[in-house]
Amino acid sequence: EVQLVESGGGLVPPGGSLRVSCVGSGFTFGSYRMTWVRQAPGKGLEWVAGIKERGTEKNYVDSVKGRFAISRDDAKNSVFLQMNSLRVEDSGVYFCARKHLVRGIDYWGQGTMVTVSS
Amino acid sequence: NFMLTQPHSLSESPGKTVTISCTGSRGSIVRNHVQWFQQRPGSAPTALSFEDGQRPSGVPDRFSVSIDGSSNSASLTISGLRTEDEADYFCLAYDNYNQVFGGGTKLTVL
């Protein structure tokens, strides 16, 4: 059974940093692209970042470029999102999702809550 | 910036059919690999369709997707509506190397 479990969310002041993690199981982690999607309270979904197999390519939504960094450690079946210079508008639930080359996003984690507030 | 526009909300009765549209602001939605997701309150999204147009296992054939090149829109049609279909629905497409979600449609079944 495919499982994705996020962790690392919490309360951080504006300008602070946080790293959220996602561990995958039940599949060959290194064979899949991974994606981070966030959802502000009561709002829609926003694609944040994606990373290809072996980390060969990384892409970001414009609003986080230069502040967030996506990375992966295939030996630990993990993908990370390092978030720096956090803003109030970065608050929300952060989901990691598995992305199949042909099918697209096919599995989601349950998410981890990030709150940026003073 | 590329945007996907969905109706904010829709309401329909059980047993009826509803269609949710997703219109691209530019480019060709026909060549874009659109996906659809369902999200129930308090839960993570789940895929209703894949980029190749196939349905994930476990998704009933009451859910179908289509593309209309003339209006640059993708559509999700749900037939034989059930109360458990009440949820938020999101489309997802590509913008160059990134991806973009539509704003989401809140479907009420009553």
Side-chain angles (χ1 to χ4, degrees):
Chain A
E1 179 192 7
V2 172
Q3 285 194 320
L4 296 167
V5 180
E6 302 92 335
S7 63
L11 175 63
V12 60
S17 297
L18 199 65
R19 187 174 89 150
V20 291
S21 305
C22 170
V23 178
S25 61
F27 64 101
T28 305
F29 188 86
S31 297
Y32 289 85
R33 303 174 182 195
M34 298 299 294
T35 296
W36 284 99
V37 174
R38 68 184 178 185
Q39 186 169 37
K43 301 296 185 181
L45 301 173
E46 181 180 31
W47 182 92
V48 175
I51 186 167
K52 285 190 175 180
E53 302 89 333
R54 300 182 303 283
T56 54
E57 185 174 318
K58 304 172 186 180
N59 300 104
Y60 303 91
V61 68
D62 285 349
S63 60
V64 309
K65 280 181 183 175
R67 300 189 299 122
F68 288 15
I70 188 172
S71 62
R72 62 190 298 159
D73 183 341
D74 292 343
K76 295 182 178 179
N77 291 344
S78 297
V79 61
F80 310 99
L81 188 66
Q82 175 67 45
M83 302 182 289
N84 300 325
S85 302
L86 281 161
R87 305 167 181 168
V88 171
E89 56 265 33
D90 294 319
S91 296
V93 177
Y94 282 70
F95 297 99
C96 78
R98 188 183 85 165
K99 188 172 180 188
H100 186 276
L101 182 62
V102 174
R103 295 193 297 255
I105 291 178
D106 56 0
Y107 286 93
W108 297 71
Q110 286 305 304
T112 186
M113 184 71 198
V114 171
T115 302
V116 184
S117 174
S118 53
Chain B
N1 285 347
F2 179 66
M3 292 175 57
L4 294 170
T5 300
Q6 298 181 232
H8 181 70
S9 63
L10 291 171
S11 180
E12 190 50 272
S13 303
K16 299 292 189 179
T17 296
V18 69
T19 297
I20 301 171
S21 61
C22 170
T23 303
S25 60
R26 56 174 167 80
S28 172
I29 203 82
V30 175
R31 290 193 295 271
N32 209 322
H33 301 284
V34 180
Q35 264 195 284
W36 287 91
F37 299 90
Q38 178 190 65
Q39 186 180 32
R40 294 194 172 99
S43 296
T46 58
L48 291 175
S49 69
F50 289 141
E51 289 184 5
D52 59 3
Q54 299 301 303
R55 255 190 315 274
S57 61
V59 174
D61 59 7
R62 301 187 295 108
F63 293 84
S64 61
V65 299
S66 61
I67 296 284
D68 181 355
S70 64
S71 61
N72 207 39
S73 294
S75 295
L76 170 71
T77 298
I78 311 171
S79 59
L81 276 168
R82 301 181 179 183
T83 54
E84 66 245 36
D85 297 333
E86 186 161 296
D88 294 326
Y89 293 85
F90 297 90
C91 58
L92 173 67
Y94 285 88
D95 178 18
N96 292 317
Y97 297 105
N98 289 357
Q99 292 195 272
V100 175
F101 282 96
T105 299
K106 182 176 181 60
L107 175 64
T108 301
V109 181
L110 45 69

